[in-house]
Every structure is written in C-alpha cells, then in structure tokens.
Amino acid sequence: QVQLVESGGGLVQAGGSLRLSCAASGRTFSTMAWFRQAPGKEREFAAFITWSGGTYYADSVKGRFTISRDNAKKTVYLQMNSLKPEDTAVYYCAASSRVEVPRSQAEYDNWGQGTQVTVSS
C-alpha cells in the first residue's frame, strides 16, 4: 500500500524557516510536489520536483522555498525561508507515477494527510 507521510509543520514567526519532509512508502514516484490550502481557500500548487531534479515553483514562493528530494530515501523536502503570515496553510505532499509531469492536481495519484504550517505576524 502506498503512503505519503508529511512531517515538519508547526508554528513559526514571520521571517522564520521550516523544513517539511514527505516520506513515501511502497513505491518510487516520478514527480513529487507540495500543495497548500489556506483556511477558506482552494488548494494551490507550491512546487514540484521531477525524478531527475528539475524543479518548478509558484510565483508566490519562488525565491523563498526550495524543493529537493532524496530518491534513495523516497523522501521529498520543502525548505521554507522568509515565511510570511500568508504562507499559513495545510501543506500536502503529492506524488505521481506518470512519466509526464502532471499538469494539474488531478494528475497526482497519491496524497499525504497534510501538515499544518502557521506563521504568526
């Protein structure tokens, strides 16, 4: 059974940093990504990383967040620096077994349970 387990969320002051981790069990995935959902808003894309290490970021996090992965550990990370109150959200790890990079949330076939990130002002 495939599982994605996130960790590393918490409460941090604005300007601080957090590092999220997502460990996959059961199989190896091609593209892995982080999404987030703020209270009262729809879930939105934050960043993805391909098997070979190619990355892409949402404009809202570019320059502040860094996604990385350790394929041997089947783990993806999200280093979040210069955090802002508007980064407060539940952060979800997603993974795709497709060869092509997913173009939408619907194309990710595995999701974690989410981890809360709260940034205080």
Side-chain angles (χ1 to χ4, degrees), residues 60-111:
S60 57
V61 307
K62 195 178 299 181
R64 300 186 298 120
F65 291 9
T66 302
I67 189 170
S68 60
R69 66 189 292 172
D70 184 330
N71 290 332
K73 295 182 178 179
K74 298 181 182 179
T75 300
V76 64
Y77 306 96
L78 187 68
Q79 178 66 44
M80 305 185 294
N81 299 328
S82 301
L83 283 161
K84 305 175 182 180
E86 51 263 44
D87 294 319
T88 294
V90 177
Y91 283 71
Y92 296 92
C93 174
S96 171
S97 55
R98 296 170 179 252
V99 174
E100 305 83 10
V101 175
R103 296 184 178 185
S104 68
Q105 295 188 35
E107 295 185 3
Y108 286 89
D109 42 16
N110 291 276
W111 291 83

mmCIF file of all heavy atoms in Angstrom, residues 60-111:
data_model
loop_
_atom_site.group_PDB
_atom_site.id
_atom_site.type_symbol
_atom_site.label_atom_id
_atom_site.label_comp_id
_atom_site.label_asym_id
_atom_site.label_seq_id
_atom_site.Cartn_x
_atom_site.Cartn_y
_atom_site.Cartn_z
ATOM 1 N N SER A 60 4.352 32.744 -5.886
ATOM 2 C CA SER A 60 4.187 33.187 -4.505
ATOM 3 C C SER A 60 5.277 32.667 -3.574
ATOM 4 O O SER A 60 5.482 33.226 -2.497
ATOM 5 C CB SER A 60 2.816 32.761 -3.973
ATOM 6 O OG SER A 60 2.664 31.359 -4.078
ATOM 7 N N VAL A 61 5.971 31.604 -3.981
ATOM 8 C CA VAL A 61 7.001 31.026 -3.105
ATOM 9 C C VAL A 61 8.392 31.068 -3.727
ATOM 10 O O VAL A 61 9.381 30.766 -3.047
ATOM 11 C CB VAL A 61 6.659 29.568 -2.723
ATOM 12 C CG1 VAL A 61 5.247 29.475 -2.144
ATOM 13 C CG2 VAL A 61 6.802 28.627 -3.912
ATOM 14 N N LYS A 62 8.468 31.453 -4.973
ATOM 15 C CA LYS A 62 9.755 31.460 -5.685
ATOM 16 C C LYS A 62 10.752 32.372 -4.982
ATOM 17 O O LYS A 62 10.419 33.496 -4.587
ATOM 18 C CB LYS A 62 9.526 31.919 -7.127
ATOM 19 C CG LYS A 62 10.662 31.635 -8.075
ATOM 20 C CD LYS A 62 10.301 32.078 -9.491
ATOM 21 C CE LYS A 62 9.083 31.342 -10.016
ATOM 22 N NZ LYS A 62 8.742 31.742 -11.394
ATOM 23 N N GLY A 63 11.961 31.847 -4.803
ATOM 24 C CA GLY A 63 12.997 32.623 -4.131
ATOM 25 C C GLY A 63 13.012 32.458 -2.625
ATOM 26 O O GLY A 63 13.980 32.846 -1.964
ATOM 27 N N ARG A 64 11.950 31.887 -2.065
ATOM 28 C CA ARG A 64 11.876 31.671 -0.611
ATOM 29 C C ARG A 64 11.832 30.184 -0.255
ATOM 30 O O ARG A 64 12.351 29.794 0.787
ATOM 31 C CB ARG A 64 10.647 32.369 -0.037
ATOM 32 C CG ARG A 64 10.612 33.860 -0.257
ATOM 33 C CD ARG A 64 9.435 34.504 0.468
ATOM 34 N NE ARG A 64 8.147 34.016 -0.013
ATOM 35 C CZ ARG A 64 7.254 33.396 0.767
ATOM 36 N NH1 ARG A 64 7.496 33.220 2.048
ATOM 37 N NH2 ARG A 64 6.108 32.986 0.259
ATOM 38 N N PHE A 65 11.210 29.395 -1.093
ATOM 39 C CA PHE A 65 11.070 27.964 -0.846
ATOM 40 C C PHE A 65 11.986 27.186 -1.777
ATOM 41 O O PHE A 65 12.214 27.589 -2.920
ATOM 42 C CB PHE A 65 9.636 27.493 -1.088
ATOM 43 C CG PHE A 65 8.609 27.992 -0.101
ATOM 44 C CD1 PHE A 65 8.903 28.968 0.839
ATOM 45 C CD2 PHE A 65 7.327 27.461 -0.115
ATOM 46 C CE1 PHE A 65 7.964 29.420 1.740
ATOM 47 C CE2 PHE A 65 6.369 27.895 0.775
ATOM 48 C CZ PHE A 65 6.686 28.877 1.701
ATOM 49 N N THR A 66 12.490 26.067 -1.290
ATOM 50 C CA THR A 66 13.319 25.187 -2.097
ATOM 51 C C THR A 66 12.837 23.750 -1.927
ATOM 52 O O THR A 66 12.772 23.246 -0.798
ATOM 53 C CB THR A 66 14.793 25.275 -1.700
ATOM 54 O OG1 THR A 66 15.254 26.627 -1.834
ATOM 55 C CG2 THR A 66 15.645 24.368 -2.599
ATOM 56 N N ILE A 67 12.517 23.109 -3.046
ATOM 57 C CA ILE A 67 12.104 21.714 -3.006
ATOM 58 C C ILE A 67 13.287 20.845 -3.396
ATOM 59 O O ILE A 67 14.067 21.204 -4.280
ATOM 60 C CB ILE A 67 10.891 21.456 -3.937
ATOM 61 C CG1 ILE A 67 10.332 20.051 -3.726
ATOM 62 C CG2 ILE A 67 11.244 21.713 -5.395
ATOM 63 C CD1 ILE A 67 8.991 19.816 -4.437
ATOM 64 N N SER A 68 13.439 19.725 -2.722
ATOM 65 C CA SER A 68 14.517 18.799 -3.030
ATOM 66 C C SER A 68 14.037 17.380 -2.741
ATOM 67 O O SER A 68 12.984 17.194 -2.125
ATOM 68 C CB SER A 68 15.772 19.115 -2.209
ATOM 69 O OG SER A 68 15.505 19.014 -0.815
ATOM 70 N N ARG A 69 14.802 16.394 -3.192
ATOM 71 C CA ARG A 69 14.386 15.017 -2.939
ATOM 72 C C ARG A 69 15.606 14.137 -2.788
ATOM 73 O O ARG A 69 16.680 14.415 -3.345
ATOM 74 C CB ARG A 69 13.479 14.496 -4.052
ATOM 75 C CG ARG A 69 14.131 14.349 -5.407
ATOM 76 C CD ARG A 69 13.083 14.046 -6.492
ATOM 77 N NE ARG A 69 12.494 12.721 -6.333
ATOM 78 C CZ ARG A 69 11.444 12.297 -7.055
ATOM 79 N NH1 ARG A 69 10.885 13.109 -7.937
ATOM 80 N NH2 ARG A 69 10.961 11.080 -6.875
ATOM 81 N N ASP A 70 15.413 13.066 -2.041
ATOM 82 C CA ASP A 70 16.421 12.021 -1.873
ATOM 83 C C ASP A 70 15.770 10.747 -2.387
ATOM 84 O O ASP A 70 14.948 10.136 -1.693
ATOM 85 C CB ASP A 70 16.814 11.902 -0.404
ATOM 86 C CG ASP A 70 17.925 10.901 -0.157
ATOM 87 O OD1 ASP A 70 18.031 9.919 -0.921
ATOM 88 O OD2 ASP A 70 18.670 11.077 0.806
ATOM 89 N N ASN A 71 16.111 10.347 -3.594
ATOM 90 C CA ASN A 71 15.448 9.201 -4.210
ATOM 91 C C ASN A 71 15.739 7.897 -3.466
ATOM 92 O O ASN A 71 14.895 7.003 -3.407
ATOM 93 C CB ASN A 71 15.862 9.073 -5.673
ATOM 94 C CG ASN A 71 15.269 10.197 -6.523
ATOM 95 O OD1 ASN A 71 14.205 10.727 -6.201
ATOM 96 N ND2 ASN A 71 15.949 10.553 -7.594
ATOM 97 N N ALA A 72 16.906 7.792 -2.892
ATOM 98 C CA ALA A 72 17.241 6.573 -2.146
ATOM 99 C C ALA A 72 16.348 6.427 -0.913
ATOM 100 O O ALA A 72 15.990 5.315 -0.527
ATOM 101 C CB ALA A 72 18.708 6.603 -1.736
ATOM 102 N N LYS A 73 15.986 7.549 -0.321
ATOM 103 C CA LYS A 73 15.122 7.533 0.864
ATOM 104 C C LYS A 73 13.655 7.708 0.508
ATOM 105 O O LYS A 73 12.799 7.693 1.387
ATOM 106 C CB LYS A 73 15.545 8.640 1.832
ATOM 107 C CG LYS A 73 16.934 8.465 2.425
ATOM 108 C CD LYS A 73 17.250 9.579 3.410
ATOM 109 C CE LYS A 73 18.620 9.392 4.046
ATOM 110 N NZ LYS A 73 18.947 10.494 4.989
ATOM 111 N N LYS A 74 13.364 7.897 -0.783
ATOM 112 C CA LYS A 74 11.991 8.127 -1.234
ATOM 113 C C LYS A 74 11.357 9.286 -0.456
ATOM 114 O O LYS A 74 10.211 9.206 -0.003
ATOM 115 C CB LYS A 74 11.144 6.862 -1.074
ATOM 116 C CG LYS A 74 11.630 5.681 -1.902
ATOM 117 C CD LYS A 74 10.727 4.470 -1.712
ATOM 118 C CE LYS A 74 11.218 3.265 -2.486
ATOM 119 N NZ LYS A 74 10.351 2.086 -2.277
ATOM 120 N N THR A 75 12.098 10.344 -0.300
ATOM 121 C CA THR A 75 11.664 11.469 0.505
ATOM 122 C C THR A 75 11.836 12.771 -0.268
ATOM 123 O O THR A 75 12.837 12.966 -0.963
ATOM 124 C CB THR A 75 12.463 11.537 1.814
ATOM 125 O OG1 THR A 75 12.251 10.328 2.559
ATOM 126 C CG2 THR A 75 12.024 12.713 2.677
ATOM 127 N N VAL A 76 10.847 13.631 -0.136
ATOM 128 C CA VAL A 76 10.919 14.960 -0.725
ATOM 129 C C VAL A 76 10.853 15.975 0.409
ATOM 130 O O VAL A 76 10.203 15.739 1.432
ATOM 131 C CB VAL A 76 9.787 15.186 -1.750
ATOM 132 C CG1 VAL A 76 8.416 15.150 -1.083
ATOM 133 C CG2 VAL A 76 9.980 16.494 -2.492
ATOM 134 N N TYR A 77 11.560 17.087 0.223
ATOM 135 C CA TYR A 77 11.647 18.111 1.249
ATOM 136 C C TYR A 77 11.168 19.448 0.699
ATOM 137 O O TYR A 77 11.234 19.698 -0.505
ATOM 138 C CB TYR A 77 13.093 18.261 1.732
ATOM 139 C CG TYR A 77 13.727 16.978 2.197
ATOM 140 C CD1 TYR A 77 14.521 16.219 1.340
ATOM 141 C CD2 TYR A 77 13.529 16.514 3.495
ATOM 142 C CE1 TYR A 77 15.100 15.035 1.760
ATOM 143 C CE2 TYR A 77 14.107 15.331 3.922
ATOM 144 C CZ TYR A 77 14.891 14.596 3.051
ATOM 145 O OH TYR A 77 15.458 13.421 3.461
ATOM 146 N N LEU A 78 10.711 20.297 1.596
ATOM 147 C CA LEU A 78 10.391 21.668 1.235
ATOM 148 C C LEU A 78 11.000 22.581 2.297
ATOM 149 O O LEU A 78 10.504 22.629 3.421
ATOM 150 C CB LEU A 78 8.880 21.897 1.136
ATOM 151 C CG LEU A 78 8.487 23.276 0.600
ATOM 152 C CD1 LEU A 78 8.881 23.391 -0.881
ATOM 153 C CD2 LEU A 78 6.981 23.502 0.755
ATOM 154 N N GLN A 79 12.087 23.245 1.932
ATOM 155 C CA GLN A 79 12.710 24.218 2.818
ATOM 156 C C GLN A 79 12.027 25.557 2.606
ATOM 157 O O GLN A 79 12.015 26.078 1.492
ATOM 158 C CB GLN A 79 14.202 24.332 2.514
ATOM 159 C CG GLN A 79 14.936 25.360 3.347
ATOM 160 C CD GLN A 79 14.984 24.991 4.814
ATOM 161 O OE1 GLN A 79 15.254 23.845 5.170
ATOM 162 N NE2 GLN A 79 14.740 25.965 5.692
ATOM 163 N N MET A 80 11.457 26.080 3.665
ATOM 164 C CA MET A 80 10.691 27.323 3.574
ATOM 165 C C MET A 80 11.389 28.396 4.406
ATOM 166 O O MET A 80 11.502 28.262 5.629
ATOM 167 C CB MET A 80 9.262 27.098 4.081
ATOM 168 C CG MET A 80 8.550 25.958 3.372
ATOM 169 S SD MET A 80 6.811 25.796 3.861
ATOM 170 C CE MET A 80 6.998 25.323 5.571
ATOM 171 N N ASN A 81 11.856 29.416 3.729
ATOM 172 C CA ASN A 81 12.544 30.532 4.391
ATOM 173 C C ASN A 81 11.741 31.813 4.225
ATOM 174 O O ASN A 81 10.836 31.892 3.384
ATOM 175 C CB ASN A 81 13.942 30.712 3.796
ATOM 176 C CG ASN A 81 14.832 29.502 3.983
ATOM 177 O OD1 ASN A 81 14.718 28.772 4.974
ATOM 178 N ND2 ASN A 81 15.716 29.269 3.028
ATOM 179 N N SER A 82 12.085 32.804 5.026
ATOM 180 C CA SER A 82 11.413 34.115 4.954
ATOM 181 C C SER A 82 9.900 33.952 4.964
ATOM 182 O O SER A 82 9.191 34.552 4.135
ATOM 183 C CB SER A 82 11.864 34.864 3.694
ATOM 184 O OG SER A 82 13.262 35.041 3.697
ATOM 185 N N LEU A 83 9.415 33.148 5.867
ATOM 186 C CA LEU A 83 7.983 32.850 5.908
ATOM 187 C C LEU A 83 7.155 34.079 6.229
ATOM 188 O O LEU A 83 7.574 34.959 6.997
ATOM 189 C CB LEU A 83 7.710 31.736 6.915
ATOM 190 C CG LEU A 83 8.069 30.335 6.411
ATOM 191 C CD1 LEU A 83 8.214 29.352 7.568
ATOM 192 C CD2 LEU A 83 7.035 29.842 5.426
ATOM 193 N N LYS A 84 5.976 34.123 5.616
ATOM 194 C CA LYS A 84 5.043 35.233 5.788
ATOM 195 C C LYS A 84 3.736 34.694 6.370
ATOM 196 O O LYS A 84 3.419 33.512 6.183
ATOM 197 C CB LYS A 84 4.762 35.875 4.432
ATOM 198 C CG LYS A 84 5.994 36.326 3.673
ATOM 199 C CD LYS A 84 5.606 36.830 2.289
ATOM 200 C CE LYS A 84 6.819 37.246 1.482
ATOM 201 N NZ LYS A 84 6.439 37.731 0.120
ATOM 202 N N PRO A 85 2.956 35.540 7.020
ATOM 203 C CA PRO A 85 1.665 35.072 7.541
ATOM 204 C C PRO A 85 0.784 34.460 6.453
ATOM 205 O O PRO A 85 0.030 33.514 6.725
ATOM 206 C CB PRO A 85 1.054 36.347 8.116
ATOM 207 C CG PRO A 85 2.230 37.160 8.535
ATOM 208 C CD PRO A 85 3.275 36.902 7.483
ATOM 209 N N GLU A 86 0.900 34.959 5.242
ATOM 210 C CA GLU A 86 0.088 34.413 4.147
ATOM 211 C C GLU A 86 0.533 33.022 3.705
ATOM 212 O O GLU A 86 -0.124 32.403 2.870
ATOM 213 C CB GLU A 86 0.063 35.371 2.949
ATOM 214 C CG GLU A 86 1.424 35.840 2.486
ATOM 215 C CD GLU A 86 1.792 37.194 3.057
ATOM 216 O OE1 GLU A 86 1.570 37.416 4.279
ATOM 217 O OE2 GLU A 86 2.313 38.031 2.288
ATOM 218 N N ASP A 87 1.637 32.541 4.233
ATOM 219 C CA ASP A 87 2.052 31.159 3.972
ATOM 220 C C ASP A 87 1.332 30.165 4.888
ATOM 221 O O ASP A 87 1.489 28.950 4.726
ATOM 222 C CB ASP A 87 3.566 31.000 4.168
ATOM 223 C CG ASP A 87 4.381 31.781 3.146
ATOM 224 O OD1 ASP A 87 3.995 31.774 1.964
ATOM 225 O OD2 ASP A 87 5.394 32.389 3.549
ATOM 226 N N THR A 88 0.573 30.675 5.844
ATOM 227 C CA THR A 88 -0.175 29.806 6.750
ATOM 228 C C THR A 88 -1.155 28.946 5.964
ATOM 229 O O THR A 88 -1.976 29.455 5.195
ATOM 230 C CB THR A 88 -0.939 30.636 7.790
ATOM 231 O OG1 THR A 88 0.008 31.306 8.634
ATOM 232 C CG2 THR A 88 -1.842 29.758 8.646
ATOM 233 N N ALA A 89 -1.046 27.639 6.136
ATOM 234 C CA ALA A 89 -1.872 26.700 5.372
ATOM 235 C C ALA A 89 -1.572 25.289 5.840
ATOM 236 O O ALA A 89 -0.592 25.047 6.556
ATOM 237 C CB ALA A 89 -1.577 26.821 3.873
ATOM 238 N N VAL A 90 -2.409 24.370 5.397
ATOM 239 C CA VAL A 90 -2.076 22.950 5.491
ATOM 240 C C VAL A 90 -1.298 22.608 4.227
ATOM 241 O O VAL A 90 -1.759 22.887 3.121
ATOM 242 C CB VAL A 90 -3.329 22.077 5.611
ATOM 243 C CG1 VAL A 90 -2.940 20.599 5.634
ATOM 244 C CG2 VAL A 90 -4.113 22.431 6.867
ATOM 245 N N TYR A 91 -0.135 22.024 4.417
ATOM 246 C CA TYR A 91 0.733 21.678 3.297
ATOM 247 C C TYR A 91 0.602 20.182 3.009
ATOM 248 O O TYR A 91 0.744 19.354 3.915
ATOM 249 C CB TYR A 91 2.175 22.039 3.603
ATOM 250 C CG TYR A 91 2.425 23.525 3.455
ATOM 251 C CD1 TYR A 91 1.897 24.432 4.378
ATOM 252 C CD2 TYR A 91 3.161 24.022 2.385
ATOM 253 C CE1 TYR A 91 2.093 25.800 4.235
ATOM 254 C CE2 TYR A 91 3.373 25.394 2.240
ATOM 255 C CZ TYR A 91 2.827 26.269 3.165
ATOM 256 O OH TYR A 91 3.022 27.622 3.014
ATOM 257 N N TYR A 92 0.361 19.863 1.738
ATOM 258 C CA TYR A 92 0.161 18.486 1.309
ATOM 259 C C TYR A 92 1.265 18.054 0.358
ATOM 260 O O TYR A 92 1.629 18.792 -0.562
ATOM 261 C CB TYR A 92 -1.173 18.335 0.589
ATOM 262 C CG TYR A 92 -2.383 18.595 1.444
ATOM 263 C CD1 TYR A 92 -2.948 19.856 1.522
ATOM 264 C CD2 TYR A 92 -2.975 17.554 2.184
ATOM 265 C CE1 TYR A 92 -4.066 20.104 2.307
ATOM 266 C CE2 TYR A 92 -4.087 17.794 2.965
ATOM 267 C CZ TYR A 92 -4.626 19.064 3.023
ATOM 268 O OH TYR A 92 -5.726 19.299 3.801
ATOM 269 N N CYS A 93 1.744 16.869 0.575
ATOM 270 C CA CYS A 93 2.669 16.233 -0.345
ATOM 271 C C CYS A 93 1.860 15.431 -1.358
ATOM 272 O O CYS A 93 0.859 14.797 -0.999
ATOM 273 C CB CYS A 93 3.596 15.314 0.448
ATOM 274 S SG CYS A 93 4.705 14.305 -0.531
ATOM 275 N N ALA A 94 2.284 15.471 -2.616
ATOM 276 C CA ALA A 94 1.614 14.702 -3.662
ATOM 277 C C ALA A 94 2.663 14.025 -4.523
ATOM 278 O O ALA A 94 3.770 14.544 -4.679
ATOM 279 C CB ALA A 94 0.734 15.606 -4.506
ATOM 280 N N ALA A 95 2.280 12.895 -5.085
ATOM 281 C CA ALA A 95 3.227 12.148 -5.907
ATOM 282 C C ALA A 95 2.523 11.561 -7.121
ATOM 283 O O ALA A 95 1.350 11.190 -7.063
ATOM 284 C CB ALA A 95 3.865 11.030 -5.088
ATOM 285 N N SER A 96 3.272 11.500 -8.203
ATOM 286 C CA SER A 96 2.727 10.965 -9.442
ATOM 287 C C SER A 96 3.606 9.839 -9.956
ATOM 288 O O SER A 96 4.828 9.936 -9.918
ATOM 289 C CB SER A 96 2.647 12.068 -10.500
ATOM 290 O OG SER A 96 2.327 11.525 -11.766
ATOM 291 N N SER A 97 2.960 8.803 -10.474
ATOM 292 C CA SER A 97 3.688 7.700 -11.081
ATOM 293 C C SER A 97 3.748 7.835 -12.596
ATOM 294 O O SER A 97 4.337 6.990 -13.278
ATOM 295 C CB SER A 97 3.033 6.365 -10.705
ATOM 296 O OG SER A 97 1.659 6.383 -11.060
ATOM 297 N N ARG A 98 3.176 8.930 -13.124
ATOM 298 C CA ARG A 98 3.196 9.146 -14.578
ATOM 299 C C ARG A 98 4.597 9.486 -15.052
ATOM 300 O O ARG A 98 5.377 10.095 -14.320
ATOM 301 C CB ARG A 98 2.270 10.298 -14.948
ATOM 302 C CG ARG A 98 0.805 10.064 -14.650
ATOM 303 C CD ARG A 98 0.003 11.346 -14.820
ATOM 304 N NE ARG A 98 -1.415 11.114 -14.563
ATOM 305 C CZ ARG A 98 -2.330 11.105 -15.519
ATOM 306 N NH1 ARG A 98 -1.991 11.306 -16.773
ATOM 307 N NH2 ARG A 98 -3.598 10.902 -15.211
ATOM 308 N N VAL A 99 4.858 9.178 -16.294
ATOM 309 C CA VAL A 99 6.139 9.556 -16.884
ATOM 310 C C VAL A 99 6.177 11.072 -17.110
ATOM 311 O O VAL A 99 7.184 11.730 -16.852
ATOM 312 C CB VAL A 99 6.353 8.818 -18.216
ATOM 313 C CG1 VAL A 99 7.612 9.314 -18.906
ATOM 314 C CG2 VAL A 99 6.434 7.314 -17.975
ATOM 315 N N GLU A 100 5.049 11.615 -17.585
ATOM 316 C CA GLU A 100 4.988 13.054 -17.848
ATOM 317 C C GLU A 100 4.772 13.810 -16.541
ATOM 318 O O GLU A 100 4.159 13.309 -15.610
ATOM 319 C CB GLU A 100 3.827 13.368 -18.795
ATOM 320 C CG GLU A 100 3.831 12.600 -20.102
ATOM 321 C CD GLU A 100 3.215 11.220 -19.954
ATOM 322 O OE1 GLU A 100 2.625 10.925 -18.892
ATOM 323 O OE2 GLU A 100 3.349 10.422 -20.888
ATOM 324 N N VAL A 101 5.238 15.040 -16.494
ATOM 325 C CA VAL A 101 4.989 15.884 -15.340
ATOM 326 C C VAL A 101 3.509 16.248 -15.300
ATOM 327 O O VAL A 101 2.955 16.689 -16.308
ATOM 328 C CB VAL A 101 5.832 17.172 -15.419
ATOM 329 C CG1 VAL A 101 5.469 18.110 -14.269
ATOM 330 C CG2 VAL A 101 7.316 16.842 -15.373
ATOM 331 N N PRO A 102 2.848 16.040 -14.182
ATOM 332 C CA PRO A 102 1.425 16.368 -14.092
ATOM 333 C C PRO A 102 1.164 17.835 -14.388
ATOM 334 O O PRO A 102 1.948 18.704 -14.018
ATOM 335 C CB PRO A 102 1.084 16.034 -12.631
ATOM 336 C CG PRO A 102 2.088 15.013 -12.239
ATOM 337 C CD PRO A 102 3.333 15.407 -12.945
ATOM 338 N N ARG A 103 0.028 18.077 -15.042
ATOM 339 C CA ARG A 103 -0.341 19.451 -15.370
ATOM 340 C C ARG A 103 -1.427 19.991 -14.462
ATOM 341 O O ARG A 103 -1.799 21.157 -14.550
ATOM 342 C CB ARG A 103 -0.814 19.535 -16.820
ATOM 343 C CG ARG A 103 0.265 19.194 -17.822
ATOM 344 C CD ARG A 103 -0.217 19.396 -19.241
ATOM 345 N NE ARG A 103 0.818 19.130 -20.229
ATOM 346 C CZ ARG A 103 0.679 19.335 -21.531
ATOM 347 N NH1 ARG A 103 -0.447 19.813 -21.996
ATOM 348 N NH2 ARG A 103 1.673 19.067 -22.351
ATOM 349 N N SER A 104 -1.950 19.135 -13.590
ATOM 350 C CA SER A 104 -2.996 19.577 -12.682
ATOM 351 C C SER A 104 -2.960 18.707 -11.441
ATOM 352 O O SER A 104 -2.339 17.642 -11.416
ATOM 353 C CB SER A 104 -4.364 19.479 -13.343
ATOM 354 O OG SER A 104 -4.708 18.117 -13.540
ATOM 355 N N GLN A 105 -3.668 19.160 -10.411
ATOM 356 C CA GLN A 105 -3.740 18.389 -9.178
ATOM 357 C C GLN A 105 -4.337 17.009 -9.421
ATOM 358 O O GLN A 105 -3.952 16.032 -8.784
ATOM 359 C CB GLN A 105 -4.591 19.139 -8.142
ATOM 360 C CG GLN A 105 -4.001 20.454 -7.689
ATOM 361 C CD GLN A 105 -4.776 21.045 -6.524
ATOM 362 O OE1 GLN A 105 -5.278 20.334 -5.675
ATOM 363 N NE2 GLN A 105 -4.865 22.366 -6.503
ATOM 364 N N ALA A 106 -5.277 16.950 -10.337
ATOM 365 C CA ALA A 106 -5.984 15.688 -10.596
ATOM 366 C C ALA A 106 -5.057 14.600 -11.113
ATOM 367 O O ALA A 106 -5.374 13.411 -11.013
ATOM 368 C CB ALA A 106 -7.118 15.923 -11.588
ATOM 369 N N GLU A 107 -3.914 14.994 -11.658
ATOM 370 C CA GLU A 107 -2.993 14.003 -12.228
ATOM 371 C C GLU A 107 -2.021 13.449 -11.192
ATOM 372 O O GLU A 107 -1.194 12.611 -11.527
ATOM 373 C CB GLU A 107 -2.262 14.610 -13.416
ATOM 374 C CG GLU A 107 -3.187 14.944 -14.576
ATOM 375 C CD GLU A 107 -2.444 15.428 -15.803
ATOM 376 O OE1 GLU A 107 -1.202 15.464 -15.783
ATOM 377 O OE2 GLU A 107 -3.109 15.780 -16.799
ATOM 378 N N TYR A 108 -2.103 13.935 -9.980
ATOM 379 C CA TYR A 108 -1.314 13.341 -8.898
ATOM 380 C C TYR A 108 -2.164 12.245 -8.273
ATOM 381 O O TYR A 108 -3.293 12.500 -7.834
ATOM 382 C CB TYR A 108 -0.931 14.392 -7.857
ATOM 383 C CG TYR A 108 0.144 15.327 -8.334
ATOM 384 C CD1 TYR A 108 -0.165 16.499 -9.007
ATOM 385 C CD2 TYR A 108 1.498 15.025 -8.123
ATOM 386 C CE1 TYR A 108 0.828 17.350 -9.462
ATOM 387 C CE2 TYR A 108 2.501 15.875 -8.565
ATOM 388 C CZ TYR A 108 2.148 17.033 -9.234
ATOM 389 O OH TYR A 108 3.147 17.876 -9.679
ATOM 390 N N ASP A 109 -1.640 11.026 -8.222
ATOM 391 C CA ASP A 109 -2.470 9.906 -7.792
ATOM 392 C C ASP A 109 -2.247 9.472 -6.354
ATOM 393 O O ASP A 109 -2.877 8.520 -5.886
ATOM 394 C CB ASP A 109 -2.292 8.702 -8.735
ATOM 395 C CG ASP A 109 -0.842 8.470 -9.132
ATOM 396 O OD1 ASP A 109 0.065 9.016 -8.464
ATOM 397 O OD2 ASP A 109 -0.623 7.750 -10.118
ATOM 398 N N ASN A 110 -1.365 10.166 -5.647
ATOM 399 C CA ASN A 110 -1.155 9.854 -4.242
ATOM 400 C C ASN A 110 -0.962 11.143 -3.451
ATOM 401 O O ASN A 110 -0.227 12.037 -3.897
ATOM 402 C CB ASN A 110 0.070 8.955 -4.059
ATOM 403 C CG ASN A 110 -0.160 7.575 -4.610
ATOM 404 O OD1 ASN A 110 -0.729 6.711 -3.958
ATOM 405 N ND2 ASN A 110 0.252 7.351 -5.851
ATOM 406 N N TRP A 111 -1.603 11.195 -2.291
ATOM 407 C CA TRP A 111 -1.571 12.397 -1.463
ATOM 408 C C TRP A 111 -1.300 12.018 -0.010
ATOM 409 O O TRP A 111 -1.744 10.979 0.473
ATOM 410 C CB TRP A 111 -2.908 13.131 -1.540
ATOM 411 C CG TRP A 111 -3.172 13.754 -2.867
ATOM 412 C CD1 TRP A 111 -3.682 13.135 -3.971
ATOM 413 C CD2 TRP A 111 -2.924 15.099 -3.244
ATOM 414 N NE1 TRP A 111 -3.764 14.020 -5.015
ATOM 415 C CE2 TRP A 111 -3.317 15.242 -4.592
ATOM 416 C CE3 TRP A 111 -2.414 16.219 -2.571
ATOM 417 C CZ2 TRP A 111 -3.195 16.446 -5.291
ATOM 418 C CZ3 TRP A 111 -2.299 17.421 -3.258
ATOM 419 C CH2 TRP A 111 -2.688 17.518 -4.603
#
